[in-house]
Amino acid sequence: MMSYDEAMKDLVQAVGGKENIDNVTHCTTRLRFNLKDDQLVDQKKVENNDAVLGTANSGGQYQVIIGTTVEKAYNSIVKIVGVSNNKGNEDKEKDSRNIFSKIIDAIVGSMAPVVPAVIGCSMIKLLLIILPQIGVLSDTGTTYRFLQIIGDGGFYFLPLLVAASASRKFGTNLSLSLAIVAILVHPDLLDIFEEGIAMNIFGIPVTEMGYTYSVIPAIIMVWLMSYIEKGVDKITPTVTKNFLSPLLVLLISGAIALTIVGPAGGWAGEVVASGILTIYESTGWFSVAIIGVFWNVFVMLGMHHVFTPVIITSLASGGFEGMIMVGALAANLAQAGACLAVALRTKNKKMKQTAGVSGASVLIGGITEPALYGVTLPLRRPLIASMIGGGIAGAFAGIMQIVAYSQAAPSLVTTLQYIDGENMLSILWVAITCALSIGITFVLTLILGFKEEANSTGAAEVSAKSKIVSPLKGEVIELSQIKDAVFSEELAGKGIAIIPDSGEIYSPVNAVVTVLPSSKHAIGLKTENGIELLIHVGIDTVELNGEYFENSVNVGDQVKEGDLLLNFNINKLREKGFEISTPIVITNSNEYKTIETKKMGAVQVGEDILHIDK
């Protein structure tokens, strides 16, 4: 078993190497990569990584599910790659994602860091409901008041918490972001609104609206400020930047916040919240059942955080949320039921252990990704059973009008958040919901059954030795001579490099074309016996966006040894100053005992250059 750092080193290699990673962040269970070229991802290698539970593509991000050790994985990745969530807007011009993906990414990136504070405050508010009911705490004492302040602080100043995380997401100045959003919750502004005084800025009226507990205005305002900062920086003289830039940013942003963004964002938040409330009120239990069925689909797509602002708004304004959190409880515990059934039925020791641990993770911590990606999704039928069980339990919970008073991850341990202190029957309804979710899914999983794949190491079966011939005419050199750590440190795999004499690349093996980015600067091949090969023309040639390159094959084509794959204008690459040394690496190197270099120095097309031994 490789070390954790080695596993993360392999993961970096599998997602296309350090040079392919634009940005990386993490949430509770997954690493979220913004990649320059998704086609360079070696999906099989990612999935075979011991630390990886599964993957998803959502919101323009390549997401790698790690589980509860994600923070350890993130810290290791940052050490290897040297990028983090502080990148900001440096590469906006390279962002080709659609508008929906960008919006989702902005919401998730701004909200995910705030969730722990919201959960903590929610649980304190929940205690304030239950403790007086059972006689442990007086609701007239100073302790109660003290806890009330703690529980309400995170919600009251929620716009500031969101501003702090959004400033990291959009690459803005933290203190200026906080200062701008602080305007919206300033006590004097609230007093002016309460007194009914008509207010305007430069003749533009300021709409009366409360911004405490709000989310959307803060996100939009910090995003806008990222552009205002850059614009101001361009027009202010260097000698005045220290005082003039902050002054102009605050004046411009403050005016926009109070006259345009604040009211518009506030209305948008109210529309979304009232829309969800309308759906709940008009469809009742059915809406909760739908969430119970499809919640884990949202989790698989990485889109469940999109609901966070709605949940927070509902909790802050009404004190409870009756649709999303309730449906999520039914869906989560259904995953646990499926895992328990798989653990009981399977004969595969590894799957038995995975299912048992994953089920416990759901029951205790409300973390479903290990169950989803390690058990129910690969086995399929247990996933169907969990969707049915989650839907039935969600319908029951909706009929009984169960609501959540907090936003802790739904699990058996956190069912306290669904108990109504003034209606002790709610304890019974919550218990039945949990039993239905786990029990129905457990029985359905046993009835539907599941088909397991035979135990496999994930490595391809290869003959004693497999050979790779040269795809180029030129000079063979060691990878360590390449001026790119991805290749020189063998992050992309073991192999050699060739300094080419001409611009024709021929297939070094009989294989299928698996990778061919739009930039045409690299090509990936996979042989029948499982060898995965990458030929990367030059260094940083992706920047040419396909200029001077011409492909003779496409992804999915079968090629034979000696077939022409690519042409590139070697002279133009040299004129433009690009390093033309071409790495040829085995991207699944860790599956083989030895990868032996057979030729150094001058080489002709078709000569043996590598021997691979299983």
Side-chain angles (χ1 to χ4, degrees):
M1 176 74 70
M2 66 176 64
S3 72
Y4 208 81
D5 284 342
E6 287 174 335
M8 291 304 102
K9 185 176 178 181
D10 276 2
L11 179 59
V12 169
Q13 173 189 326
V15 298
K18 177 179 176 180
E19 65 177 8
N20 195 39
I21 299 174
D22 213 16
N23 190 23
V24 60
T25 58
H26 75 90
C27 56
T28 310
T29 56
R30 63 186 74 196
L31 294 167
R32 296 170 176 268
F33 290 95
N34 291 102
L35 301 176
K36 294 176 182 176
D37 189 345
D38 286 348
Q39 293 185 60
L40 293 181
V41 174
D42 184 338
Q43 185 64 24
K44 181 182 175 184
K45 192 173 183 66
V46 173
E47 292 173 351
N48 285 342
N49 192 298
D50 290 339
V52 174
L53 298 171
T55 65
N57 258 301
S58 178
Q61 293 179 325
Y62 182 72
Q63 302 173 7
V64 179
I65 293 84
I66 300 294
T68 54
T69 59
V70 67
E71 188 166 355
K72 181 180 177 182
Y74 172 76
N75 292 334
S76 181
I77 289 284
V78 169
K79 275 191 241 175
I80 297 167
V81 178
V83 297
S84 69
N85 62 353
N86 293 323
K87 188 171 179 73
N89 286 331
E90 294 171 341
D91 293 321
K92 268 188 180 176
E93 67 280 0
K94 299 179 183 177
D95 194 343
S96 59
R97 296 173 295 166
N98 60 49
I99 186 66
F100 178 74
S101 295
K102 292 177 183 178
I103 290 172
I104 297 298
D105 186 39
I107 293 173
V108 172
S110 300
M111 292 305 306
V114 174
V115 170
V118 171
I119 291 174
C121 291
S122 296
M123 294 306 293
I124 294 220
K125 290 168 80 72
L126 182 61
L127 289 175
L128 290 173
I129 295 172
I130 293 175
L131 294 182
Q133 294 292 327
I134 60 177
V136 174
L137 186 68
S138 169
D139 59 6
T140 58
T142 55
T143 300
Y144 181 91
R145 182 63 179 155
F146 173 68
L147 291 175
Q148 197 173 43
I149 292 171
I150 295 176
D152 206 40
F155 284 111
Y156 190 89
F157 293 106
L158 185 60
L160 293 176
L161 300 180
V162 173
S165 58
S167 72
R168 291 194 294 271
K169 177 64 184 172
F170 299 118
T172 62
N173 181 280
L174 175 61
S175 61
L176 286 176
S177 298
L178 290 170
I180 291 300
V181 176
I183 296 170
L184 300 177
V185 293
H186 196 290
D188 285 354
L189 180 65
L190 301 179
D191 290 343
I192 290 172
F193 287 155
E194 287 179 4
E195 293 169 13
I197 300 173
M199 184 179 176
N200 68 79
I201 299 174
F202 306 123
I204 304 173
V206 175
T207 304
E208 180 180 339
M209 184 169 287
Y211 298 109
T212 54
Y213 305 93
S214 63
V215 170
I216 295 177
I219 295 175
I220 296 174
M221 197 57 241
V222 175
W223 170 69
L224 271 179
M225 206 186 84
S226 69
Y227 291 96
I228 294 170
E229 271 190 309
K230 288 183 178 180
V232 167
D233 186 65
K234 288 179 181 178
I235 64 171
T236 50
T238 303
V239 294
T240 64
K241 281 189 188 298
N242 285 343
F243 66 89
L244 189 56
S245 287
L247 169 65
L248 292 176
V249 169
L250 285 172
L251 282 176
I252 297 169
S253 301
I256 292 174
L258 288 175
T259 60
I260 302 172
V261 170
W267 285 327
E270 289 177 2
V271 167
V272 172
S274 63
I276 294 292
L277 184 60
T278 300
I279 293 171
Y280 176 62
E281 290 178 344
S282 60
T283 60
W285 61 267
F286 184 71
S287 62
V288 184
I290 292 298
I291 295 294
V293 172
F294 292 107
W295 178 253
N296 283 305
V297 175
F298 297 135
V299 174
M300 281 189 283
L301 296 174
M303 292 178 62
H304 54 302
H305 286 299
V306 174
F307 293 99
T308 300
V310 178
I311 297 169
I312 291 174
T313 301
S314 296
L315 291 173
S317 58
F320 63 88
E321 196 283 316
M323 185 174 81
I324 299 167
M325 287 293 294
V326 180
L329 173 66
N332 278 13
L333 294 184
Q335 286 290 309
C339 285
L340 293 175
V342 171
L344 177 67
R345 175 67 62 86
T346 184
K347 295 179 182 179
N348 183 310
K349 291 182 179 180
K350 182 178 180 181
M351 178 56 74
K352 188 180 288 289
Q353 182 181 23
T354 300
V357 171
S358 298
S361 174
V362 178
L363 292 173
I364 298 171
I367 304 298
T368 58
E369 277 88 346
L372 268 170
Y373 292 99
V375 183
T376 59
L377 184 58
L379 299 181
R380 309 225 175 152
R381 289 180 186 174
L383 178 61
I384 295 171
S386 71
M387 293 174 76
I388 296 171
I392 294 172
F396 175 82
I399 292 170
M400 294 298 107
Q401 298 184 335
I402 295 173
V403 299
Y405 297 95
S406 172
Q407 202 204 351
S411 69
L412 281 183
V413 175
T414 59
T415 49
L416 189 68
Q417 67 187 326
Y418 297 94
I419 296 172
D420 183 352
E422 297 180 0
N423 177 17
M424 299 314 289
L425 264 179
S426 62
I427 298 175
L428 177 61
W429 306 143
V430 171
I432 292 175
T433 298
C434 297
L436 285 173
S437 181
I438 296 171
I440 291 173
T441 307
F442 181 89
V443 172
L444 279 176
T445 301
L446 293 179
I447 292 172
L448 294 175
F450 48 87
K451 184 178 180 181
E452 297 182 87
E453 295 181 2
N455 288 335
S456 171
T457 62
E461 293 297 326
V462 201
S463 58
K465 285 191 187 286
S466 298
K467 69 173 184 176
I468 307 293
V469 303
S470 178
L472 290 158
K473 177 186 177 184
E475 180 184 356
V476 178
I477 61 174
E478 294 180 352
L479 282 178
S480 59
Q481 295 179 244
I482 299 295
K483 298 175 182 177
D484 187 308
V486 173
F487 296 110
S488 63
E489 296 179 14
E490 298 185 339
L491 296 180
K494 296 180 180 179
I496 52 90
I498 296 177
I499 303 173
D501 290 340
S502 61
E504 294 82 31
I505 295 181
Y506 300 90
S507 181
V509 287
N510 298 333
V512 176
V513 179
T514 55
V515 175
L516 183 63
S518 57
S519 54
K520 304 176 185 178
H521 72 293
I523 188 164
L525 304 170
K526 183 175 181 179
T527 68
E528 190 174 306
N529 57 11
I531 297 171
E532 297 171 12
L533 185 74
L534 176 69
I535 304 171
H536 192 286
V537 182
I539 304 301
D540 296 329
T541 46
V542 65
E543 297 173 6
L544 292 169
N545 295 317
E547 190 176 5
Y548 311 128
F549 287 87
E550 182 180 350
N551 57 301
S552 299
V553 295
N554 294 297
V555 171
D557 287 353
Q558 293 273 354
V559 295
K560 293 183 178 180
E561 182 183 320
D563 287 352
L564 182 64
L565 302 177
L566 290 173
N567 279 294
F568 61 96
N569 192 323
I570 190 171
N571 295 323
K572 286 291 185 181
L573 264 58
R574 284 175 174 146
E575 286 176 15
K576 295 287 184 179
F578 285 94
E579 169 63 54
I580 62 170
S581 296
T582 298
I584 299 152
V585 297
I586 310 302
T587 56
N588 57 340
S589 296
N590 62 327
E591 297 180 8
Y592 304 103
K593 184 165 66 174
T594 60
I595 297 175
E596 181 184 3
T597 301
K598 301 301 292 183
K599 178 81 174 181
M600 295 298 292
V603 69
Q604 299 292 325
V605 174
E607 286 190 70
D608 283 9
I609 52 173
L610 294 171
H611 279 189
I612 301 170
D613 188 358
K614 183 64 178 174

